[in-house]
Amino acid sequence: MTLPLYFASSSKVWSSPEWVYGIEECGYDGWEISADGNYRLDNPEAFAKITEIIETTSLGISVHAPFTDLNIGSLNDPIYRESIRQMQLCVTKAADITDVVTIHPGYVSPHGRLVPQKVWNLHKEALREIGATGIDTGVQVCLENMPKIPDFLCMEAEEHFGMIEGVEGIYATVDLGHANTTGQVKTYLGRIGTATHMHIHDNHGSSDEHLALGAGTIDWDDAGRRISAAYHGICVVEGRNLDEAAISRDVFRRCF
């Protein structure tokens, strides 16, 4: 059984939505909405344009919640509360068009480094609140692993899966490109059967380049075999443009 293949591009969040029609033309099954910039679901005009695209294509839909300037690990309570509120609102709005929403973890501030357990506890509590919204709305809220960027939480599988352990309504998005920057590709592939959602893109192992599949150092022949054998969800190519989307599509069809 071929896994569903979706496309997303966070580099397009300020673009007009016409580009999205090219996703279907490129042979993808769906669109993961990067719900930021011009695509925020809490913006009625933006949501109306998104709905029009959905109604005039056969694309399946998933959603990536906004993360600009948000931090569910913040020790600054107004920012912490607002970050939770915006993610909950995104999940609620997304329930009209999808049942899968990916969220980013928070990050550790300079003062947070002095109290790591407090940050961990706050982050877990934020996930409980967001997960409860997911349960109420019928949306699977999936926490994503992060690339190698200082102070982000959930850069490694042990912390990523530990963060969602015991939290009702929160699942895992595995980002294999992010995992490549932290040397965790094989670790994540070993646990891929526990993932609910997946992002795929390539890089050279040192930074989060979001290259087309095959343009970096990930072994897609091996990854494709292991993912196809154990994973049963959507694969989202997170790319920079539709030209590279076509390259990734061809690699995916060969390897998965």
Side-chain angles (χ1 to χ4, degrees):
M1 178 178 176
T2 303
L3 296 171
L5 183 64
Y6 286 27
F7 184 73
S9 183
S10 61
S11 66
K12 297 285 191 180
V13 296
W14 298 113
S15 302
S16 59
E18 288 76 19
W19 74 273
V20 175
Y21 291 102
I23 296 174
E24 186 172 45
E25 293 168 4
C26 196
Y28 280 77
D29 303 304
W31 171 35
E32 179 154 293
I33 300 165
S34 300
D36 226 322
N38 291 335
Y39 297 85
R40 289 188 64 98
L41 304 187
D42 54 356
N43 179 321
E45 183 179 351
F47 194 79
K49 290 179 180 178
I50 288 167
T51 301
E52 180 182 352
I53 291 168
I54 294 170
E55 291 174 346
T56 55
T57 69
S58 60
L59 293 171
I61 298 295
S62 56
V63 168
H64 195 308
F67 54 85
T68 301
D69 300 325
L70 303 179
N71 182 11
I72 58 172
S74 178
L75 297 178
N76 185 325
D77 190 64
I79 291 174
Y80 175 72
R81 297 307 322 170
E82 178 62 16
S83 299
I84 295 171
R85 187 194 72 82
Q86 287 200 28
M87 291 189 186
Q88 288 176 310
L89 180 59
C90 179
V91 170
T92 300
K93 295 288 187 181
D96 290 336
I97 55 176
T98 188
D99 59 2
V100 180
V101 173
T102 289
I103 65 172
H104 273 191
Y107 54 90
V108 183
S109 67
H111 287 170
R113 295 190 202 110
L114 304 175
V115 284
Q117 189 60 52
K118 182 176 178 65
V119 173
W120 177 274
N121 293 343
L122 281 169
H123 201 274
K124 275 267 195 181
E125 179 55 33
L127 292 178
R128 291 188 187 97
E129 294 185 31
I130 299 165
T133 301
I135 292 170
D136 289 343
T137 56
V139 172
Q140 291 180 305
V141 180
C142 301
L143 184 70
E144 181 179 6
N145 59 301
M146 289 289 95
K148 191 176 181 180
I149 297 176
D151 298 323
F152 259 122
L153 294 166
C154 301
M155 288 190 284
E156 298 190 352
E158 182 177 1
E159 183 171 84
H160 182 203
F161 285 100
M163 187 65 77
I164 67 176
E165 184 177 2
V167 181
E168 293 185 7
I170 299 293
Y171 306 87
T173 288
V174 168
D175 188 307
L176 214 61
H178 289 175
N180 197 45
T181 70
T182 60
Q184 292 265 300
V185 168
K186 290 190 181 299
T187 301
Y188 270 105
L189 288 175
R191 304 184 67 164
I192 204 63
T194 62
T196 296
H197 197 59
M198 172 167 283
H199 292 162
I200 53 176
H201 49 94
D202 217 334
N203 58 67
H204 293 92
S206 58
S207 64
D208 189 26
E209 299 170 273
H210 282 264
L211 303 176
L213 305 191
T217 59
I218 295 176
D219 182 347
W220 292 105
D221 290 307
D222 178 61
R225 282 193 300 270
R226 296 173 68 175
I227 291 166
S228 297
Y231 174 71
H232 306 290
I234 295 165
C235 290
V236 181
V237 170
E238 288 192 314
R240 301 182 296 184
N241 55 61
L242 290 172
D243 288 338
E244 293 183 356
I247 296 170
S248 292
R249 174 205 61 207
D250 291 345
V251 174
F252 182 86
R253 287 176 176 171
R254 176 174 60 81
C255 297
F256 286 73

